[in-house]
């Protein structure tokens, strides 16, 4: 299958993303970080198993995250 290496990379990046948010949750105690951590780890699991719905949700999630980062940079920190 042609999409194997990119799916492995996205699985790895989502796992790291989820673990970072888990660390933020333990540091601050905010449940928002816990929710995003569990969401990212669930997407990583689904992407690793090559579930089509998880791959589509991951693409939408990455697009929204990029858009929010772009808005943050435009507004100025």
């Amino acid at each position: 299958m042609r999409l194997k290496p990119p799916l492995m990379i996205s699985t790895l990046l989502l796992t790291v993303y989820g673990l970072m948010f888990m660390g933020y949750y333990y540091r601050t105690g905010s449940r928002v970080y816990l929710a995003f951590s569990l969401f990212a780890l669930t997407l990583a699991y689904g992407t690793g198993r090559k579930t089509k719905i998880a791959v589509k949700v991951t693409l939408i999630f990455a697009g929204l995250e990029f858009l929010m980062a772009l808005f943050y940079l435009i507004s100025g920190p």
Side-chain angles (χ1 to χ4, degrees):
M1 197 170 173
R2 285 189 141 182
L3 294 176
K4 191 172 182 181
L7 285 179
M8 290 172 52
I9 292 170
S10 67
T11 302
L12 176 67
L13 290 175
L14 280 169
T15 304
V16 169
Y17 189 71
L19 292 176
M20 277 184 7
F21 271 123
M22 190 66 74
Y24 290 148
Y25 166 69
Y26 284 126
R27 180 179 279 178
T28 63
S30 174
R31 291 191 177 156
V32 174
Y33 289 130
L34 178 64
F36 275 109
S37 171
L38 294 177
F39 181 65
L41 291 173
T42 304
L43 284 178
Y45 178 74
T47 306
R49 303 223 356 128
K50 298 178 184 142
T51 308
K52 288 183 181 181
I53 295 173
V55 172
K56 290 176 186 177
V57 171
T58 301
L59 287 172
I60 293 169
F61 180 63
L64 288 174
E65 184 181 9
F66 175 74
L67 187 65
M68 291 300 146
L70 190 64
F71 285 157
Y72 181 73
L73 287 174
I74 289 171
S75 69

